[in-house]
Amino acid sequence: IGFAGTHSIAAILSGVPGLDVVHGTQNFTTRGPIGTNSQSADEFAATMSQAGSGQRPIVIHTNLPPAALKPACDRRGIRYGLIARHPVRQIESCYAWAMKKTLDGARDSLVMSLKTGLNVLQQMQLPINLPNVTYVYAAQHVCTFNLAAVALGAPVMRMEELLQDEPTFRAAFD
C-alpha cells in the first residue's frame, strides 16, 4: 500500500545489478503512476511473469487489492509479500499524503475522507472536521489493506527491519 519507505526500498533495489525494479504503478508495461492505464491484478501478474528483459522483476507498491493480486501472483509462481511499518507511523504517513492531496484541491481525496470518516466520527461523538475525517480515512485505508494481505497469508516485511539490517533486507528480496 505504501507509506512504508517504499520509495527508499525501491531506490536501494534499483542499484542492484540484475533487478528490474518497478515502483508505484498498476501497469507493469507502461509503468505510469497508480491510477493511470491500470491493468487488472491478473493482467499485471501475467505481464510481470512474462517480462523478457533478462532481469528479475521486483514490483513495490502497486496498491492493487491483495485479494486480487496475491492469488494472481500465486498462480504464476510470483512471490507476494507485504511491506509494512509501525502501524501508527504508517497511518500518519497516509494521513499526511491524504491531507496534502485534499489541501492541493484533489476532490476525490476529500470525498473519500468524508465517506470513510463521517459516520465513524458521529458514532464516536468526536468533532467532525477535516483533520479527523482524514485521519479516520488513513487509519481505515492502511489497516484494511494490511489486514487483507495478512489474512491471505502474505509474509510481512517490516520497513524498520529492512532498512536497519542488511542481511534482513537481502533475505527479503533474494
Side-chain angles (χ1 to χ4, degrees), residues 23-39:
H23 176 268
T25 188
Q26 292 177 331
N27 189 315
F28 188 82
T29 305
T30 66
R31 301 178 183 206
I34 288 176
T36 56
N37 211 13
S38 300
Q39 294 175 306

Side-chain angles (χ1 to χ4, degrees), residues 72-101:
C73 289
D74 290 347
R75 286 192 295 277
R76 290 169 179 80
I78 298 169
R79 188 173 53 161
Y80 177 95
L82 173 68
I83 299 174
R85 73 191 285 192
H86 185 282
V88 172
R89 291 187 187 115
Q90 193 169 9
I91 291 166
E92 288 174 351
S93 180
C94 181
Y95 169 81
W97 168 82
M99 184 62 83
K100 181 181 182 328
K101 281 188 67 168

Side-chain angles (χ1 to χ4, degrees), residues 121-134:
L121 292 172
Q122 287 172 336
Q123 290 172 3
M124 295 176 72
Q125 298 179 350
L126 293 173
I128 297 171
N129 54 41
L130 182 59
N132 285 354
V133 294
T134 305

Side-chain angles (χ1 to χ4, degrees), residues 5-166:
T6 58
H7 286 279
S8 299
I9 291 167
I12 293 166
L13 290 169
S14 292
V16 177
L19 298 182
D20 178 16
V21 180
V22 180
H23 176 268
T25 188
Q26 292 177 331
N27 189 315
F28 188 82
T29 305
T30 66
R31 301 178 183 206
I34 288 176
T36 56
N37 211 13
S38 300
Q39 294 175 306
S40 69
D42 202 56
E43 292 167 332
F44 190 95
T47 307
M48 184 180 170
S49 69
Q50 297 165 0
S53 67
Q55 297 183 315
R56 184 168 59 100
I58 293 183
V59 179
I60 296 176
H61 184 45
T62 67
N63 218 20
L64 291 166
L69 187 57
K70 185 174 185 315
C73 289
D74 290 347
R75 286 192 295 277
R76 290 169 179 80
I78 298 169
R79 188 173 53 161
Y80 177 95
L82 173 68
I83 299 174
R85 73 191 285 192
H86 185 282
V88 172
R89 291 187 187 115
Q90 193 169 9
I91 291 166
E92 288 174 351
S93 180
C94 181
Y95 169 81
W97 168 82
M99 184 62 83
K100 181 181 182 328
K101 281 188 67 168
T102 299
L103 294 175
D104 286 347
R107 191 163 183 248
D108 61 327
S109 183
L110 175 60
V111 170
M112 276 302 253
S113 292
L114 288 169
K115 283 183 179 180
T116 305
L118 208 52
N119 287 338
V120 172
L121 292 172
Q122 287 172 336
Q123 290 172 3
M124 295 176 72
Q125 298 179 350
L126 293 173
I128 297 171
N129 54 41
L130 182 59
N132 285 354
V133 294
T134 305
Y135 197 88
V136 170
Y137 164 77
Q140 186 170 6
H141 186 59
V142 168
C143 293
T144 300
F145 189 95
N146 288 355
L147 291 173
V150 169
L152 292 167
V156 178
M157 297 169 278
R158 295 207 36 202
M159 185 260 316
E160 294 87 349
E161 294 169 5
L162 292 173
L163 295 178
Q164 290 177 3
D165 185 60
E166 185 177 342

